[in-house]
Amino acid sequence: MIDISCLGLSVGESFVSFNCFSEGVLPIVSGEISDQISEFHQRRGGGDLSVEEEMAGAEQWKNHLEQWKNQLEPWKNQLEQWLNQGIEYIQQIPPTQLYSAIAVLLFTSLLLLLIRVFKRTKSNTIVLTGLSGSGKTVLFYQLRDGSSHQGAVTSMEPNEGTFVLHSETTKKGKIKPVHLVDVPGHSRLRLKLDEFLPQAAGIVFVVDALEFLPNCRAASEYLYDILTKASVVKKKIPVLILCNKTDKVTAHTKEFIRKQMEKEIDKLRASRSAISEADIANDFTLGVPGEVFSFSQCSNKVTVAEASGLTGDVSQVEHFLRENVKP
């Protein structure tokens, strides 16, 4: 129903106030009526109307609105009829059947909501990081196209690509591509790591197994910083410590590298515990207080594997990628 009480005409000595036009009546009338009202306002604003014309105009618009109201009345009656029929139909349904239908409706709605919440597309991003010179970029190209890239390959900007692993290019069926990001290992460029960690499905931390001992402390500090980041701990992002260049005779084994890094991280825990509350660089602490640190104490899964980027032995890192980015 249209309330036309807003037409309340206020007649003064020389004017009539049409409050309805400031309260939204104008938008609900259509076509010719709207044009007439607009013309009336233009004439009235320009002082072209006398008091008698204003009164006559007001009466005319009131009649138009009454007609509009009468035209809407059948629709109102029809809606009321449909509503009453719906209520009568519901009242005829046995209570048990009605409650069952409501329960099914609620259950279906809740199920659809849960599916929408939990069935989010899992990230296919794998972050490749580690100290400079550890062989990350060589591994990147080996995984992407099987190329060896002989010699030193140092990247100053992240290498980023989405592709099917080279070893899977001949496989049949649908294979999900991996979004691999090679983050530079230079200390001044590590801030770029924070751009990719929030959407990472896994982290590959590359260690140079050939030159491990001189870099053990630096590599352990970098890994410590990664393992204590909030984005890694809260999402429990799995980490693979990948010992690269193991094809060389003098390369250290993955067991040796794991134990040495655990010892270094244990020392870091002790040295940083005194300032842990004020340490803004690390969001969480590692390990169990009073116990010697081991990677098994981390909230996220940390594993160790071997590889050789130059010879193409990357099967273990490929297994890690496919564990966390399902085909």
Side-chain angles (χ1 to χ4, degrees), residues 7 13 16 27 32 61 93 118 120 144 170 187 190 194 198 218 238 252 289:
L7 279 169
E13 293 181 356
V16 177
E32 182 181 349
W61 308 139
I93 300 175
F118 291 104
R120 293 176 179 173
R144 191 187 71 175
T170 58
S187 58
R190 290 178 192 169
D194 293 329
H252 296 284

Side-chain angles (χ1 to χ4, degrees), residues 125-139:
T125 299
I126 299 292
V127 174
L128 197 64
T129 190
L131 298 182
S132 295
S134 58
K136 300 182 302 299
T137 306
V138 173
L139 287 166

Side-chain angles (χ1 to χ4, degrees), residues 25-240:
V25 173
L26 181 59
I28 66 170
V29 294
S30 62
E32 182 181 349
I33 297 177
S34 178
D35 294 338
Q36 292 174 359
I37 291 176
S38 299
E39 181 183 354
F40 177 81
H41 266 284
Q42 292 174 359
R43 292 181 61 198
R44 184 172 180 267
D48 297 335
L49 293 178
S50 63
V51 174
E52 290 78 7
E53 287 177 320
E54 289 188 355
M55 292 292 293
E59 189 64 30
Q60 182 181 2
W61 308 139
K62 182 177 179 181
N63 293 336
H64 280 311
L65 291 175
E66 285 290 347
Q67 293 174 9
W68 189 265
K69 173 186 172 183
N70 294 335
Q71 291 174 1
L72 291 178
E73 194 67 27
W75 288 98
K76 174 188 173 184
N77 296 335
Q78 185 65 53
L79 288 174
E80 289 179 349
Q81 182 181 354
W82 288 342
L83 179 61
N84 292 332
Q85 289 176 351
I87 294 174
E88 291 177 2
Y89 177 76
I90 292 175
Q91 291 174 343
Q92 292 173 3
I93 300 175
T96 54
Q97 186 178 346
L98 180 61
Y99 297 152
S100 299
I102 294 174
V104 170
L105 179 62
L106 291 175
F107 176 76
T108 304
S109 301
L110 180 61
L111 183 62
L112 292 173
L113 179 62
L114 290 174
I115 291 174
R116 184 167 186 175
V117 169
F118 291 104
K119 194 179 178 181
R120 293 176 179 173
T121 303
K122 188 176 179 181
S123 172
N124 67 334
T125 299
I126 299 292
V127 174
L128 197 64
T129 190
L131 298 182
S132 295
S134 58
K136 300 182 302 299
T137 306
V138 173
L139 287 166
F140 176 90
Y141 288 112
Q142 190 67 250
L143 292 166
R144 191 187 71 175
D145 51 37
S147 60
S148 59
H149 279 263
Q150 296 286 341
V153 180
T154 302
S155 58
M156 297 302 290
E157 289 293 331
N159 288 319
E160 188 174 355
T162 302
F163 49 83
V164 173
L165 299 177
H166 177 69
S167 62
E168 298 175 336
T169 53
T170 58
K171 290 185 178 181
K172 296 181 180 180
K174 186 177 181 181
I175 301 176
K176 186 174 183 178
V178 175
H179 180 214
L180 192 61
V181 182
D182 166 23
V183 180
H186 196 284
S187 58
R188 289 180 298 179
L189 302 174
R190 290 178 192 169
L191 291 176
K192 293 181 179 292
L193 183 67
D194 293 329
E195 299 177 13
F196 301 102
L197 285 181
Q199 65 262 26
I203 301 170
V204 178
F205 187 85
V206 184
V207 176
D208 185 343
L210 192 62
E211 300 292 334
F212 171 68
L213 286 178
N215 298 309
C216 179
R217 176 76 177 183
S220 299
E221 287 182 344
Y222 187 15
L223 181 59
Y224 179 94
D225 291 338
I226 291 174
L227 293 175
T228 52
K229 286 185 179 293
S231 56
V232 175
V233 176
K234 291 181 179 179
K235 293 179 62 179
K236 296 185 177 180
I237 301 175
V239 176
L240 176 69

